[in-house]
Amino acid sequence: MTRHFAPTFLFQVLDLSGNPLTALGANQFRKLGLTHLQRVILQRCSLRHVDSTAFAGLTNLVELDLSHNSLSTVPGQAFVYAPELRELKLNGNPLVRINGSPFTAATKLVRLEVANCQIIQLDVKAFTVIKSLALLFVAPFWAKSVPRRFTQPH
């Protein structure tokens, strides 16, 4: 049974870290009536899949932490529904490559963390739409190819 929250106030932060959530389904937050969230923290939840509409309705979402899960790809399509996303943490996921255009919808992203992901390839196309990116945190740094704009001093 799906439960809807009937809040007397609007939740802005949701931290479900450590809960066994292997997937975020379609319209997950909208179905629960949690559309006013600004921060969503889902660390160590064993997430393997994020539906492309999982964040539908989260137009105020500015921070998303999906660290230490089992995501093998960046769930880029899901960011279409989070147009204000400024901070994204994907630390500790089994990401090996960031290629293609996973951040096309995350044009306001300022901080991106992909530490401890064993990344060996960062494709320049993946970052071209993120004009506001101020911090890309990748450590340890295994990448063999890196976009030039991240290796030159400002």
Side-chain angles (χ1 to χ4, degrees), residues 40-56:
V40 174
I41 304 150
L42 300 168
Q43 294 181 7
R44 295 176 178 25
C45 292
S46 302
L47 281 173
R48 294 182 184 276
H49 175 73
V50 176
D51 186 86
S52 62
T53 62
F55 304 117

Side-chain angles (χ1 to χ4, degrees), residues 69-82:
N69 281 291
S70 298
L71 297 172
S72 59
T73 60
V74 177
Q77 294 292 354
F79 305 143
V80 169
Y81 298 98

Side-chain angles (χ1 to χ4, degrees), residues 1-140:
M1 177 170 93
T2 302
R3 292 190 175 192
H4 292 275
F5 293 96
T8 54
F9 60 92
L10 301 175
F11 291 107
Q12 292 183 342
V13 178
L14 179 65
D15 186 346
L16 293 175
S17 296
N19 284 284
L21 308 169
T22 57
L24 288 179
N27 296 293
Q28 191 75 59
F29 296 94
R30 183 179 282 161
K31 287 177 183 176
L32 296 171
L34 297 171
T35 56
H36 296 284
L37 295 172
Q38 292 181 359
R39 293 179 62 210
V40 174
I41 304 150
L42 300 168
Q43 294 181 7
R44 295 176 178 25
C45 292
S46 302
L47 281 173
R48 294 182 184 276
H49 175 73
V50 176
D51 186 86
S52 62
T53 62
F55 304 117
L58 294 182
T59 56
N60 296 323
L61 185 65
V62 293
E63 182 182 333
L64 178 60
D65 190 343
L66 299 173
S67 296
H68 306 288
N69 281 291
S70 298
L71 297 172
S72 59
T73 60
V74 177
Q77 294 292 354
F79 305 143
V80 169
Y81 298 98
E84 298 301 319
L85 190 62
R86 297 207 181 353
E87 185 170 321
L88 176 61
K89 297 178 183 176
L90 295 166
N91 301 314
N93 280 288
L95 301 171
V96 176
R97 289 177 176 75
I98 297 180
N99 51 22
S101 303
F103 306 110
T104 300
T107 58
K108 295 184 179 178
L109 206 58
V110 174
R111 180 183 183 110
L112 174 60
E113 295 183 18
V114 287
N116 298 308
C117 292
Q118 302 170 353
I119 292 174
I120 59 170
Q121 181 184 16
L122 291 174
D123 187 352
V124 69
K125 290 184 234 169
F127 303 96
T128 54
V129 297
I130 316 173
K131 305 294 185 210
S132 57
L133 190 63
L135 175 70
L136 173 61
F137 185 61
V138 184

